[in-house]
Amino acid sequence: MTTRSTLLLGLAFLATSAFADMTYYVVGYPDTETGSFGVQIDNNGPITKLVTSSSTFPLWSILVPGVSATTPYKYVKLDPAGNPIVFESFTRSLAVDPTAIQTAYEVFDREVTDMKVPLVPLVYEPWEMSKTKIFDDGVIATIHLTGDTERWEGILKAPMEAQPMNANFRYINDKLVHSVDNITIAVSGKSSMEFNKQAIKLEFDTKANQTFFSRPSIKLRSESSDPTMIREKLYIDVLNAVGVPTQQGAWVRVFMNSKPVGLYLMVDDIGNSFLKQTVHHGDGGVVRGSLWQMNAPEVDRQGDLKYLGPTEDTYPKDCYKMKTLGGNPVTAPMTQLIQLMKSLEDFKPLEMNGGTYWESLIDVDGFLRNMAMEYLAGSWDAYWWSGSNYFLYFNPSLGTDNPPKGKWQWISTDFDGTFGDGDPTDTLTTYQAYADFSKHDRPMITKLIMQSPDLNKRFEQTLKDIVSYAFKPEALFPRLEAYEKMLEKDVAWDDSIDRSGYPGKTNAWT
Ligand SMILES: *[C@@H]1O[C@H](CO)[C@@H](O)[C@H](O)[C@H]1NC(C)=O
Ligand SMILES: *[C@@H]1O[C@H](CO)[C@@H](O)[C@H](O)[C@H]1NC(C)=O
């Protein structure tokens, strides 16, 4: 009888106050190898030390009995003897979810783990791509790399000559730890190499069963020229809202051998895996077509798409770079692209119907939307202004059977020089006056957008659609403000990293 009533009392007690066991998780690097982290329950309550392991570091955890999700807590950095060195300056609680029995994977000294970021209103139906966990807009994940310190320092000290190295990789977001041994790391980028913070490329060898949530080829963009580190991501957000296939992006904090490397925007590398996961919606059965990357290594040498004759050797190799052969002969990989340039040369905008002519050759809507964004966001280092920074992909599955399936798709890239950053023109003018074509023609703009009456009309409608729904302060500022709040501490952290031992400019923002 006594036993029974005690048991009932106990149950009643549990039901009313919901005291249970909570597991706390935090990502953090202690100041010394034997330092650690603790969690302080209740303001000024006892501190419980967290533990980590070689398979989870720098994620620490501990189960604390007899507390509820609503109990306030904060994390504490501990010295090797277990004494507190740094308390978080704010108090946490899981009051929003009183039934929780564990925290998310939180980050030391970062108050918000998963920011609610307002969405950009959709202008057109979004481009469907395969799902992945790694591009979560509101979460800044941690990338923990371990590898040969000397190799890594050698790469940072001489990035121009650097060879790729192998390293072990760990990705920790708000709810998972994903570790892969022996991935390949290289520095990447062109203009980013002028700065002492290097852009990085990560390659996962899928043949050796290395995986990264179906995105095995990743770039970490340094955003050295952009003090906000937001522009490129915001541009991607608007491209998503206009329904074109594009690289996705999310911010990550990167560490090598527990030393800070920096805050980066992680984006898709445009290659075979991107084509499958993004352009072809994750369908691995599609035989991929031809992919070309266009650049302007100098002001006068541009990927302008001007027809220069039927043979490849007349086209500058550093302006036109083949990424995927597709249906072209091995001995003449540029065949299809040259045909496109010939069609552009043959196009008579005043005599022909532009829509009819181009619809069988390219995804016209996608092209117009990409160009509208170049103009609206002042993406000066792109096709319209510079003949640079885009890909053309011959998508064999686009179109109808008659004419035969297959069309070119425009894929823009590199959006750090947008929203006024580095813009050589100080004011945004009309689109007609935006770029000067007198010295260097870019016929996809002059012939299609400027001179073809029907395509011009479609372009203007595209501009109107984008500015009415997405490209306006009411639509973008709430998102921008959320990003600012979310990144504030991490941008300051990135700026505080001493890179003076490496060649290149420092982005000394204050
Ligand atoms: C790591 O990967 C490289 C190729 O990228 C390979 O040559 C090497 O043997 C691998 N090392 C280990 C320990 O698996
Ligand atoms: C990859 O995994 C598959 C299936 O588990 C296995 O058969 C294969 O041997 C693995 N390959 C390598 C290179 O480890």
Side-chain angles (χ1 to χ4, degrees):
M1 196 61 198
T2 348
T3 322
R4 192 182 162 131
S5 57
T6 314
L7 187 67
L8 284 173
L9 268 174
L11 280 175
F13 176 76
L14 269 179
T16 51
S17 11
F19 274 94
D21 300 341
M22 276 290 293
T23 305
Y24 295 89
Y25 290 94
V26 72
V27 172
Y29 288 89
D31 293 344
T32 55
E33 231 168 85
T34 50
S36 65
F37 288 88
V39 59
Q40 183 178 45
I41 308 297
D42 272 327
N43 298 316
N44 304 315
I47 296 172
T48 311
K49 197 168 156 176
L50 277 70
V51 293
T52 188
S53 74
S54 59
S55 60
T56 63
F57 181 83
L59 179 67
W60 304 73
S61 67
I62 195 69
L63 184 145
V64 182
V67 289
S68 86
T70 54
T71 312
Y73 66 98
K74 64 174 64 174
Y75 297 108
V76 191
K77 193 185 266 186
L78 305 175
D79 72 8
N83 303 310
I85 331 172
V86 186
F87 287 84
E88 287 183 320
S89 58
F90 47 88
T91 302
R92 302 175 184 261
S93 125
L94 293 180
V96 287
D97 183 10
T99 61
I101 54 161
Q102 63 169 75
T103 67
Y105 294 177
E106 303 181 295
V107 177
F108 184 70
D109 202 31
R110 298 295 184 269
E111 197 162 356
V112 180
T113 305
D114 188 355
M115 191 77 168
K116 299 284 162 277
V117 186
L119 297 174
V120 178
L122 290 179
V123 183
Y124 307 112
E125 199 183 320
W127 189 268
E128 199 186 304
M129 57 196 89
S130 80
K131 294 234 177 324
T132 177
K133 294 190 164 97
I134 65 168
F135 294 120
D136 186 338
D137 291 335
V139 176
I140 307 175
T142 301
I143 290 183
H144 171 74
L145 301 164
T146 47
D148 186 319
T149 305
E150 254 174 70
R151 274 297 298 277
W152 177 244
E153 287 294 318
I155 287 175
L156 297 183
K157 285 185 175 134
M160 299 291 203
E161 295 94 64
Q163 294 301 309
M165 69 178 271
N166 289 96
N168 294 343
F169 168 93
R170 178 165 298 149
Y171 169 87
I172 307 175
N173 68 10
D174 60 327
K175 45 179 107 59
L176 64 87
V177 178
H178 180 74
S179 305
V180 185
D181 282 349
N182 200 33
I183 71 158
T184 305
I185 303 184
V187 285
S188 78
K190 297 181 300 286
S191 48
S192 61
M193 278 195 189
E194 293 166 17
F195 292 88
N196 57 13
K197 176 185 177 189
Q198 294 306 319
I200 298 168
K201 188 170 163 175
L202 305 177
E203 289 276 5
F204 297 78
D205 187 351
T206 47
K207 289 196 192 73
N209 290 342
Q210 294 182 351
T211 60
F212 187 44
F213 303 103
S214 68
R215 296 297 185 278
S217 194
I218 282 294
K219 277 185 167 178
L220 304 177
R221 304 262 301 158
S222 54
E223 309 298 342
S224 292
S225 71
D226 176 7
T228 72
M229 294 191 71
I230 292 175
R231 287 179 167 87
E232 179 143 24
K233 170 66 175 150
L234 195 65
Y235 197 95
I236 290 171
D237 292 337
V238 186
L239 283 182
N240 282 331
V242 303
V244 295
T246 188
Q247 293 163 291
Q248 300 304 299
W251 288 284
V252 290
R253 301 176 195 90
V254 182
F255 294 81
M256 173 63 92
N257 298 322
S258 300
K259 281 178 60 186
V261 180
L263 179 68
Y264 285 83
L265 185 72
M266 172 172 74
V267 300
D268 287 298
D269 184 31
I270 296 180
N272 274 326
S273 156
F274 171 83
L275 295 177
K276 172 182 161 185
Q277 304 297 352
T278 302
V279 183
H280 293 297
H281 327 288
D283 181 357
V286 177
V287 179
R288 275 153 281 194
S290 177
L291 179 69
W292 284 80
Q293 179 174 20
M294 270 56 85
N295 273 307
E298 286 164 25
V299 172
D300 287 337
R301 289 221 317 288
Q302 308 183 356
D304 50 31
L305 296 177
K306 260 186 270 180
Y307 180 67
L308 301 174
T311 53
E312 327 227 325
D313 46 10
T314 51
Y315 297 86
K317 292 221 165 4
D318 48 0
C319 297
Y320 298 92
K321 215 163 115 194
M322 192 200 72
K323 302 286 283 182
T324 304
L325 182 66
N328 297 282
V330 181
T331 51
M334 211 178 190
T335 304
Q336 281 177 303
L337 187 64
I338 293 175
Q339 280 167 3
L340 179 73
M341 292 191 258
K342 181 76 170 68
S343 303
L344 179 56
E345 164 109 339
D346 292 344
F347 176 54
K348 309 247 176 333
L350 295 175
E351 292 162 31
M352 301 169 169
N353 179 287
T356 317
Y357 186 88
W358 284 101
E359 210 57 75
S360 63
L361 300 171
I362 65 169
D363 165 20
V364 176
D365 282 335
F367 168 69
L368 295 177
R369 294 170 192 181
N370 273 290
M371 292 309 108
M373 275 307 295
E374 287 193 11
Y375 162 66
L376 289 171
S379 183
W380 58 272
D381 199 11
Y383 180 74
W384 191 318
W385 216 87
S386 302
S388 190
N389 281 323
Y390 66 101
F391 291 77
L392 275 171
Y393 175 55
F394 188 82
N395 184 339
S397 57
L398 272 193
T400 54
D401 289 329
N402 182 28
K405 259 201 167 87
K407 287 187 198 193
W408 290 96
Q409 256 179 313
W410 198 277
I411 300 167
S412 303
T413 189
D414 284 15
F415 314 123
D416 47 344
T418 56
F419 298 102
D421 190 31
D423 199 336
T425 64
D426 12 329
T427 45
L428 197 53
T429 60
T430 61
Y431 73 85
Q432 291 92 341
Y434 172 51
D436 175 12
F437 298 104
S438 63
K439 287 197 197 75
H440 202 121
D441 190 21
R442 282 169 298 280
M444 290 295 286
I445 304 298
T446 49
K447 293 183 105 174
L448 277 71
I449 290 178
M450 304 290 184
Q451 293 159 16
S452 163
D454 61 312
L455 290 179
N456 176 265
K457 216 167 136 205
R458 274 172 74 178
F459 177 73
E460 290 197 346
Q461 187 57 50
T462 307
L463 282 181
K464 281 179 202 154
D465 291 345
I466 298 177
V467 296
S468 348
Y469 292 97
F471 200 84
K472 57 178 183 179
E474 306 90 291
L476 294 184
F477 283 10
R479 192 170 178 91
L480 201 50
E481 277 154 23
Y483 281 161
E484 274 170 11
K485 209 164 148 211
M486 171 181 159
L487 289 181
E488 199 180 5
K489 274 200 168 172
D490 283 284
V491 170
W493 166 73
D494 183 84
D495 286 347
S496 75
I497 298 170
D498 180 10
R499 302 183 179 98
S500 58
Y502 309 129
K505 295 181 274 188
T506 301
N507 57 359
W509 316 115
T510 48

